[in-house]
Amino acid sequence: MSDWSRWSDSLRFLKNIRTSGTIAPSSKFLIDRMLSPIDFSAAQCIVELGPGNGCVTRTLLSRMRENSVLVCIEVNSEFILELESLQDPRLRVISCCASTISEALNKMGIEKADHVVSSLPLAILQGTLRDKILSSVDSTLKDGGCYTQYQYSLNNFSDVKSVFKNVTLGFTLRNVPPAFVYQCIKS
Ligand SMILES: C[S@@+](CC[C@H](N)C(=O)[O-])C[C@H]1O[C@@H](n2cnc3c(N)ncnc32)[C@H](O)[C@@H]1O
């Protein structure tokens, strides 16, 4: 990604700070950490929540196998257009709230996701919406699937832990700002 693209993405995140909750796209180091638990040779359906400018989306697509599906759920119409322009046959871009993942998957005839990768700004979401999203992720995941989520603080660790008993916490300094990564296994 060029310096100009990073600046232009940062400006868009800043313009939408109340829904993006960030000022910069995720770094390669954070993305690698987020995706490390995923076995791409076995995953058939991955759901991405809050793809934004598509920095995680592009890495997911580069690692996913040919006959798999990536369902991206985003509320910002500008980002949706940009994601659609990726024109990858495996990609389904859905304009809806992350609290309605199951409905979105059902419409596509998909019952469950192998993994859920989320960049949602949990810390700035209203409590009831956050709870709905976490429960939606839980009901969407296959047993043994991983929900991976980054955050800039540990404020919502207990919310995540109350839904997913098996949570591993990671951290990377190599992102602006440095970020925690929650890796939650559905049991
Ligand atoms: C921090 S940005 C992530 C951008 C990119 N994935 C990255 O890691 O740099 C969070 C994204 O979540 C989206 N978002 C916020 N609330 C949402 C919701 N309830 N449902 C779906 N997407 C949401 C925002 O529009 C924004 O694009």
Side-chain angles (χ1 to χ4, degrees):
M1 183 182 266
S2 69
D3 284 350
W4 165 247
S5 305
R6 284 190 78 82
W7 274 111
S8 131
D9 284 337
S10 290
L11 280 176
R12 282 189 302 158
F13 284 136
L14 204 55
K15 191 175 98 189
N16 298 291
I17 190 80
R18 279 194 290 182
T19 46
S20 75
T22 193
I23 51 162
S26 295
S27 70
K28 175 187 176 305
F29 305 99
L30 176 56
I31 296 171
D32 281 343
R33 185 119 204 191
M34 291 269 290
L35 305 189
S36 63
I38 299 179
D39 175 2
F40 286 96
S41 66
Q44 290 172 321
C45 172
I46 297 179
V47 170
E48 185 187 1
L49 304 179
N53 70 335
C55 56
V56 180
T57 316
R58 284 187 290 273
T59 308
L60 279 164
L61 289 169
S62 72
R63 296 184 189 181
M64 285 173 72
R65 50 181 228 215
E66 266 184 26
N67 57 348
S68 55
V69 178
L70 175 60
V71 180
C72 283
I73 295 185
E74 174 57 65
V75 287
N76 180 304
S77 51
E78 198 181 329
F79 289 136
I80 286 170
L81 287 178
E82 191 171 331
L83 292 160
E84 284 171 345
S85 75
L86 292 175
Q87 292 196 329
D88 188 303
R90 297 166 297 172
L91 178 62
R92 314 273 188 278
V93 183
I94 312 292
S95 168
C96 71
C97 174
S99 58
T100 60
I101 314 171
S102 297
E103 289 90 323
L105 289 187
N106 287 344
K107 279 188 200 153
M108 286 179 272
I110 300 172
E111 209 184 317
K112 299 264 181 190
D114 293 277
H115 304 286
V116 176
V117 176
S118 170
S119 316
L120 293 175
L122 293 184
I124 61 168
L125 297 180
Q126 208 209 341
T128 43
L129 176 59
R130 190 166 51 236
D131 292 345
K132 267 192 190 169
I133 290 174
L134 289 173
S135 124
S136 178
V137 172
D138 183 43
S139 56
T140 296
L141 265 180
K142 283 182 187 165
D143 283 347
C146 183
Y147 159 50
T148 174
Q149 164 83 56
Y150 75 76
Q151 290 289 275
Y152 301 131
S153 74
L154 289 177
N155 287 355
N156 302 106
F157 185 75
S158 58
D159 300 312
V160 173
K161 187 81 182 144
S162 70
V163 177
F164 296 92
K165 306 301 164 221
N166 182 349
V167 185
T168 308
L169 194 58
F171 181 70
T172 180
L173 272 172
R174 299 170 94 179
N175 189 67
V176 180
F180 294 95
V181 177
Y182 305 159
Q183 289 174 352
C184 316
I185 304 296
K186 165 95 180 243
S187 48

